[in-house]
Amino acid sequence: MTTQRTITVLGATGRTGRRLTDTLLGRGWKVRRVARTARPHPHPAATTHTGDLTDTDFLTTAFTGVDAAYVLVPFDPTAPDVRAHMDDIGSSITDALRRARVPRVVALSSLGAELEHGTGFLTALHAQEQRLTALETDLVLLRPGYFFDNLDPVLPHLRHIGALQDSIAPDVPLPMVAAGDVGAAAADAVEEPEHQGTTIREIRTAVDLTLMDVAAAVGRAQGIGNPPYQQLPDEETITQLLQVGFSDDAARLQVEMHHAFSAGRVAAAGDDPRAPTTVDDYLASRA
């Protein structure tokens, strides 16, 4: 008789964690869903655990006795010191994994996390990768590209603005991906044959896209022709981010990250299989 396997999923109600949860429940896993607030999941093999990710004792309990864990360090745009906040969470997660002796860890990171400086809040993911690789565990680091899902707040307003606006250079090809594809890749990583040490998986679509390409795709999806892409000056971008609730530190880190994108520093290096969802597929799903 096969014993039912158990995984703890951080951010289980988020964009990647939700897909991972539903996929593994469908494959017969038990899932401990961890989130700050969450409704119970209807599946009988899912349990819900609410708590603070900086509470190492809470996380240790959530991790104890599982076969695998999916972990991430969320970015809080309202935090007055983003790096300190992410470091607190990352250290708590790593300490809890060590205490609980979780045998396999799949961690959400990002393309660009291999760089130590000059990438905005991605530097916190670099630090977290360093912490996780020091664990004596089977570790898979997932490094996705820029999420198509970041377009969601823009889409309802684009008709009124008449353009796609951001601070990234218009003609730089960016590795991109749908968050759902990242969750699916995470589920596959959880079930890979056992291996030693750290494995890195880059996740992106087959074709890198400029933001001019993305603007054209949005135009096709919304039937509004070919809206232009407008690169905003840094200070205008910061002002807009402050208006929607970003702290000053978070806004400036966002702009620094966009500088790294514009310089081509955040790029894919490997030949991992490409994620299936295209930008047209993604936008069609949002229509």
Side-chain angles (χ1 to χ4, degrees):
M1 181 177 180
T2 302
T3 303
Q4 190 173 27
R5 294 170 294 178
T6 303
I7 184 172
T8 298
V9 178
L10 303 192
T13 60
R15 294 179 293 189
T16 63
R18 185 168 57 248
R19 175 70 175 272
L20 168 64
T21 294
D22 292 342
T23 299
L24 290 182
L25 286 171
R27 295 177 182 175
W29 283 70
K30 291 181 179 179
V31 178
R32 297 179 187 174
R33 303 164 67 239
V34 175
R36 285 181 298 178
T37 58
R39 294 179 179 176
H41 195 285
H43 198 290
T47 56
T48 302
H49 307 257
T50 57
D52 188 338
L53 295 185
T54 62
D55 184 341
T56 307
D57 291 337
F58 161 71
L59 287 178
T60 301
T61 299
F63 288 143
T64 297
V66 300
D67 299 282
Y70 175 70
V71 302
L72 51 78
V73 178
F75 165 64
D76 180 358
T78 67
D81 186 334
V82 172
R83 177 61 190 268
H85 180 66
M86 294 179 75
D87 282 345
D88 286 346
I89 293 173
S91 296
S92 176
I93 290 170
T94 307
D95 289 345
L97 290 169
R98 183 180 291 108
R99 288 186 194 176
R101 298 185 179 182
V102 179
R104 166 161 288 186
V105 177
V106 177
L108 180 63
S109 188
S110 173
L111 289 176
E114 71 278 8
L115 303 174
E116 186 174 0
H117 302 294
T119 58
F121 69 83
L122 298 184
T123 61
L125 299 183
H126 173 84
Q128 181 63 359
E129 286 193 0
Q130 299 300 112
R131 294 186 196 98
L132 291 171
T133 54
L135 294 174
E136 294 182 1
T137 190
D138 183 342
L139 174 66
V140 181
L141 297 174
L142 300 180
R143 290 181 179 171
Y146 186 92
F147 282 0
F148 293 144
D149 309 59
N150 294 333
L151 295 169
D152 287 355
V154 175
L155 297 177
H157 307 292
L158 191 138
R159 286 180 181 272
H160 305 293
I161 298 171
L164 180 64
Q165 296 179 327
D166 213 326
S167 60
I168 301 170
D171 55 351
V172 175
L174 300 175
M176 295 188 180
V177 68
D181 287 347
V182 178
D188 290 342
V190 167
E191 295 191 317
E192 287 177 359
E194 184 177 352
H195 44 68
Q196 298 297 317
T198 300
T199 301
I200 296 173
R201 296 273 185 273
E202 295 181 344
I203 312 172
R204 58 182 174 128
T205 57
V207 179
D208 293 349
L209 301 171
T210 69
L211 287 184
M212 290 190 296
D213 296 330
V214 173
V218 172
R220 291 193 298 272
Q222 296 196 350
I224 56 174
N226 191 3
Y229 171 70
Q230 296 176 350
Q231 183 180 6
L232 299 178
D234 289 350
E235 290 307 316
E236 185 173 348
T237 300
I238 289 170
T239 297
Q240 290 188 1
L241 292 173
L242 293 175
Q243 289 173 347
V244 298
F246 276 54
S247 69
D248 183 73
D249 184 54
R252 295 188 182 280
L253 287 174
Q254 181 91 343
V255 167
E256 181 180 279
M257 181 179 69
H258 286 183
H259 283 177
F261 288 156
S262 297
R265 297 182 65 217
V266 178
D271 295 317
D272 293 292
R274 300 294 183 250
T277 304
T278 68
V279 66
D280 292 308
D281 295 335
Y282 181 81
L283 292 170
S285 74
R286 291 297 186 267

